[in-house]
Amino acid sequence: MASSLGENFNLLSPQQRELVKMLLDNGQDHLFRDWPNPGVDDDEKKAFFDQLVLLDSSYPGGLVAYINNAKRLLADSKAGNNPFDGFTPSVPTGETLKFGDENFNKYEEAGVREARRAAFVLVAGGLGERLGYNGIKVALPAETTTGTCFLQHYIESILALQEASSEGEGQTHIPFVIMTSDDTHGRTLDLLESNSYFGMQPTQVTLLKQEKVACLEDNDARLALDPQNRYRVQTKPHGHGDVHSLLHSSGILKVWYNAGLKWVLFFQDTNGLLFKAIPSALGVSSTKQYHVNSLAVPRKAKEAIGGITRLTHSDGRSMVINVEYNQLDPLLRASGYPDGDVNSETGYSPFPGNINQLILELGPYIEELAKTGGAIQEFVNPKYKDASKTSFKSSTRLECMMQDYPKTLPPSSRVGFTVMETWFAYAPVKNNAEDAAKVPKGNPYHSATSGEMAIYRANSLILKKAGFQVADPVLQVINGQEVEVWSRITWKPKWGLTFSLVKSKVSGNCSISQRSTLAIKGRKIFIENLSVDGALIVDAVDDAEVNVSGSVQNNGWALEPVDYKDSSEPEVLRIRGFKFNKVEQVEKKYSEPGKFDFKA
């Protein structure tokens, strides 16, 4: 049994011996081949077994399950099997919201009430290298008017929800989990600690670190050794679907359930608009009693985001699931839709675009994970050397996605979606300047440039809907991307968490010019008959009530181009292609409680 290991077998603990026997039974004897006798490289050998134990313990079902799943998926991949064989797609049921109408406001109000029973989970395992940024993505500024980073914005949004949903009742503390990776864990903790958790209680925040999975070197699912180190298995990330098994194994879901929580909201690391959409989507979940609610946006046919689809199998099974854009067109063509993925008369695909934000009902979620151990259906994407599909260009691994959770749900599960207007809900930052500049005209850039401009656009449109006169944007090419440049309007989440809250703080005849900057930092800042042409920053502590009116006119903040190749500028500016030259501004600070009038 242990012949490949020879005398080295005696170096092992009983647990390690069991694991090695299992690996040898599953075709992994190459891992230990030609090892020197004990006394040579013993520390490296022990570290190797420690790594194998970690890989075994961090995967549902252990390494033997990983190897068996890999063999099955690699065989399917080699045979070209279609994972959707036998399924017919149709458009599922869900709710489509129009910002600011009565229906939207009703759901938004319901969602704020429900937030005290929610927990938030941020999937943040990635670095910003693909963006041309060397830090963790959540440390990037969402916008550079105030310099608020994504993590601060998310925490301040959760705290604003916490406060709004606790009115008249005891203050709740909404829990916040961040899934990190080896790459991001230490830096995420540093960012939180050095900023006093951005105002959140440290006890509210839990970091769960995702482990990597073993790489596979061939179709027989033999584990790949590190080319630089024979005593190390090569590993790669397994995908954000790990969040489910981490939550399950940590025991945190039971703690939440026992504390009376009902909802878990999952979101990703760089969408500065998301929390504008969360209250109304949570309201839809609670009103319609969805077990799973996927946030979605209208999707153009063939756009590179997945479509939320009901799939019905010839044997009667059905599920509502995200189908990746490259699979949706062939699936439709094979199911009696000869034109494939095309727009309907609305100008959009009938299948809503998945934006990877999920709201799950906690009770059914715990029950499902008890059955699966948090394992999510995986896929494998080997890069073959040639058409024979017998060998890989480089090692591969199994991957899983958070949004594939509904694949294992029973048909009785209530799975729906909430479609929001894109301008209001979705502006992820994931492409660097060069890649974004190559995006076909009319398609979203999803860059730091477009992400920041989308925040100003959304805030401008919300204020406009609330009765503000907001000047039209101008089109400008920045970092090779043609974007709409609106007035640079920002506010803290506690000022304008919902549309009704924004409306309650704006009155009379207000206007802002296109070149202007308006930053509102405070909870009780009321704006009446104000015109802004220039830059105005109002910053007030929570117990200061400030009435702002009059006419602000100054030279303001000029938007100046930055070349993304210019290494004399900081990365955070290079990736967005502009910076603000703060020529002139009016800044009012109120650091004491009380009532104040500021008339410009």
Side-chain angles (χ1 to χ4, degrees):
M1 167 69 81
S3 57
S4 338
L5 269 170
E7 293 297 313
N8 290 296
F9 198 64
N10 300 324
L11 297 172
L12 309 186
S13 69
Q15 180 197 8
Q16 290 171 337
R17 287 181 181 187
E18 284 305 308
L19 182 55
V20 166
K21 284 177 180 169
M22 181 277 296
L23 287 169
L24 293 173
D25 287 344
N26 282 275
Q28 304 295 328
D29 54 330
H30 67 288
L31 294 175
F32 316 107
R33 195 169 294 140
D34 303 327
W35 270 21
N37 286 329
V40 180
D41 297 344
D42 284 1
D43 287 347
E44 286 93 331
K45 292 169 189 169
K46 283 176 180 159
F48 182 60
F49 292 121
D50 289 341
Q51 185 200 19
L52 289 174
V53 168
L54 176 64
L55 289 169
D56 186 57
S57 64
S58 58
Y59 184 83
L63 271 172
V64 71
Y66 183 76
I67 292 162
N68 288 333
N69 290 340
K71 283 178 179 168
R72 177 177 48 80
L73 289 166
L74 286 164
D76 283 348
S77 173
K78 186 178 181 187
N81 291 345
N82 176 1
F84 298 118
D85 204 33
F87 283 102
T88 303
S90 59
V91 181
T93 52
E95 185 72 30
T96 300
L97 300 183
K98 184 159 175 50
F99 174 76
D101 71 9
E102 199 179 324
N103 195 39
F104 175 88
N105 295 340
K106 176 191 78 178
Y107 281 126
E108 203 171 51
E109 210 173 292
V112 169
R113 280 197 306 273
E114 207 59 34
R116 61 199 321 272
R117 301 205 291 164
F120 286 83
V121 179
L122 167 62
V123 179
L127 295 169
E129 294 153 323
R130 194 174 138 195
L131 289 163
Y133 172 65
N134 281 308
I136 52 174
K137 287 196 281 186
V138 292
L140 271 171
E143 40 78 14
T144 49
T145 293
T146 64
T148 303
C149 73
F150 281 105
L151 188 57
Q152 178 178 356
H153 173 67
Y154 294 150
I155 286 178
E156 288 179 348
S157 299
I158 293 168
L159 291 174
L161 270 170
Q162 176 177 293
E163 189 182 318
S165 69
S166 301
E167 280 193 355
E169 306 187 44
Q171 175 83 20
T172 53
H173 284 115
I174 293 177
F176 181 33
V177 166
I178 306 173
M179 183 175 86
T180 59
S181 64
D182 281 334
D183 293 334
T184 64
H185 188 85
R187 291 193 254 189
T188 304
L189 193 58
D190 285 349
L191 182 63
L192 287 164
E193 288 179 345
S194 59
N195 290 283
S196 309
Y197 284 75
F198 298 109
M200 206 171 237
Q201 299 293 325
T203 50
Q204 281 174 263
V205 184
T206 306
L207 267 56
L208 294 178
K209 185 161 78 76
Q210 158 188 40
E211 298 297 341
K212 291 178 176 165
V213 290
C215 291
L216 307 157
E217 67 175 34
D218 58 25
N219 282 324
D220 295 325
R222 296 196 317 163
L223 304 185
L225 287 168
D226 187 323
Q228 264 71 55
N229 183 352
R230 66 187 295 187
Y231 299 114
R232 187 138 196 95
V233 172
Q234 194 181 6
T235 58
K236 286 184 184 171
H238 188 222
H240 46 54
D242 276 354
V243 71
H244 302 294
S245 61
L246 279 173
L247 288 170
H248 173 68
S249 60
S250 70
I252 202 166
L253 298 172
K254 292 268 172 61
V255 174
W256 292 346
Y257 189 76
N258 294 335
L261 297 191
K262 190 177 179 183
W263 308 103
V264 189
L265 291 91
F266 295 84
F267 63 106
Q268 286 185 281
D269 44 19
T270 54
N271 179 6
L273 299 179
L274 174 71
F275 273 87
K276 295 183 187 305
I278 275 179
S280 51
L282 183 54
V284 169
S285 275
S286 68
T287 307
K288 301 209 168 244
Q289 299 185 308
Y290 282 154
H291 293 156
V292 178
N293 182 6
S294 292
L295 271 67
V297 293
R299 178 183 172 277
K300 289 276 190 191
K302 301 185 178 61
E303 190 184 330
I305 61 172
I308 295 170
T309 310
R310 175 175 287 286
L311 295 177
T312 307
H313 198 271
S314 48
D315 63 13
R317 283 179 295 148
S318 90
M319 57 183 172
V320 175
I321 196 72
N322 169 63
V323 175
E324 286 303 329
Y325 68 96
N326 56 341
Q327 296 172 317
L328 187 58
D329 187 70
L331 176 63
L332 286 162
R333 288 178 190 277
S335 313
Y337 299 87
D339 297 332
D341 183 15
V342 288
N343 292 327
S344 70
E345 64 283 353
T346 61
Y348 288 96
S349 159
F351 298 94
N354 168 52
I355 62 170
N356 268 4
Q357 324 290 341
L358 297 175
I359 304 176
L360 305 185
E361 189 182 335
L362 182 56
Y365 181 46
I366 290 173
E367 281 171 38
E368 176 65 15
L369 295 190
K371 286 182 238 163
T372 63
I376 295 298
Q377 279 198 11
E378 293 160 307
F379 61 95
V380 69
N381 189 15
K383 305 286 184 279
Y384 298 109
K385 275 188 178 162
D386 55 43
S388 71
K389 295 189 176 180
T390 47
S391 53
F392 306 157
K393 286 181 184 170
S394 60
S395 61
T396 189
R397 85 287 199 183
L398 302 191
E399 297 177 70
C400 62
M401 297 191 291
M402 173 174 86
Q403 67 273 25
D404 281 347
Y405 163 74
K407 279 188 173 173
T408 53
L409 293 180
S412 56
S413 296
R414 292 187 292 277
V415 182
F417 60 80
T418 304
V419 179
M420 309 273 185
E421 292 150 282
T422 308
W423 67 263
F424 176 69
Y426 190 54
V429 174
K430 50 190 184 186
N431 291 329
N432 63 45
E434 276 183 274
D435 290 346
K438 293 176 195 153
V439 165
K441 196 169 165 57
N443 284 19
Y445 297 115
H446 292 170
S447 66
T449 315
S450 63
E452 177 159 355
M453 291 302 168
I455 291 170
Y456 303 139
R457 176 179 61 186
N459 290 340
S460 294
L461 291 170
I462 291 167
L463 275 192
K464 208 169 175 175
K465 187 91 176 158
F468 232 86
Q469 281 178 283
V470 179
D472 288 338
V474 296
L475 280 176
Q476 208 168 323
V477 175
I478 299 175
N479 260 358
Q481 305 152 59
E482 188 176 69
V483 289
E484 287 183 356
V485 181
W486 291 78
S487 316
R488 272 69 73 202
I489 299 170
T490 63
W491 59 73
K492 290 285 186 190
K494 62 188 169 188
W495 182 80
L497 178 68
T498 61
F499 181 50
S500 57
L501 202 55
V502 172
K503 277 202 303 192
S504 72
K505 292 177 177 172
V506 173
S507 61
N509 191 5
C510 298
S511 65
I512 184 166
S513 67
Q514 184 276 332
R515 68 179 193 90
S516 293
T517 301
L518 172 63
I520 305 167
K521 305 176 185 179
R523 187 196 295 140
K524 297 178 182 167
I525 296 170
F526 296 90
I527 296 172
E528 185 180 4
N529 298 325
L530 172 72
S531 80
V532 181
D533 182 31
L536 171 64
I537 293 106
V538 185
D539 190 348
V541 295
D542 282 355
D543 294 326
E545 186 177 311
V546 185
N547 291 300
V548 181
S549 62
S551 175
V552 171
Q553 190 141 28
N554 56 49
N555 289 320
W557 294 7
L559 196 125
E560 295 186 348
V562 168
D563 184 342
Y564 70 87
K565 296 192 187 89
D566 181 356
S567 55
S568 69
E569 294 286 0
E571 283 177 335
V572 293
L573 298 179
R574 285 160 59 190
I575 63 173
R576 57 199 75 223
F578 63 87
K579 62 181 176 182
F580 293 117
N581 179 3
K582 300 177 181 181
V583 182
E584 197 179 3
Q585 67 197 42
V586 171
E587 183 164 11
K588 301 300 287 183
K589 254 187 137 89
Y590 300 89
S591 44
E592 300 291 325
K595 284 195 165 194
F596 305 92
D597 281 306
F598 167 62
K599 189 165 173 42

